[in-house]
Amino acid sequence: MQPIDYGFDDDMDEEEPLSNTSLDGTYVCDNCGEEIVIPLDIAAGRDQEYVEDCPVCCSPSVIHVQIDNDDDVQVWAEAEQDRY
């Protein structure tokens, strides 16, 4: 039986631009204080904003993702009830 090739490059150069392969971001929930790790979807654009429930306390937060021209990623959240 031959191994399955999933198309991931094990010799990935760290200087390559961002891709959709397993890029994660973190934010701290305003309600419970837990640090939450989320997968980032680079294909969704450089400035993203969406609502997601905290997996710990189930409180909704507005998640912000910004990717600058140097491919530095910033992720933060604010409580939804503070926003709307």
Side-chain angles (χ1 to χ4, degrees):
M1 184 182 278
Q2 295 212 338
I4 298 172
D5 181 15
Y6 291 104
F8 298 113
D9 186 6
D10 291 334
D11 299 319
M12 201 166 153
D13 183 7
E14 290 183 22
E15 296 299 319
E16 288 183 21
L18 292 174
S19 68
N20 281 335
T21 56
S22 69
L23 183 63
D24 293 333
T26 61
Y27 69 91
V28 175
C29 176
D30 280 345
N31 294 296
C32 68
E34 288 288 326
E35 183 177 67
I36 308 300
V37 178
I38 56 171
L40 300 177
D41 182 7
I42 303 305
R46 293 193 170 270
D47 292 314
Q48 303 173 32
E49 182 179 295
Y50 57 93
V51 176
E52 184 170 287
D53 289 342
C54 174
V56 177
C57 70
C58 298
S59 296
S61 292
V62 178
I63 310 299
H64 301 271
V65 178
Q66 285 188 338
I67 305 168
D68 68 15
N69 291 333
D70 295 326
D71 290 338
D72 291 327
V73 179
Q74 295 179 4
V75 179
W76 72 96
E78 57 186 333
E80 183 185 35
Q81 66 268 20
D82 293 344
R83 174 72 184 220
Y84 298 104

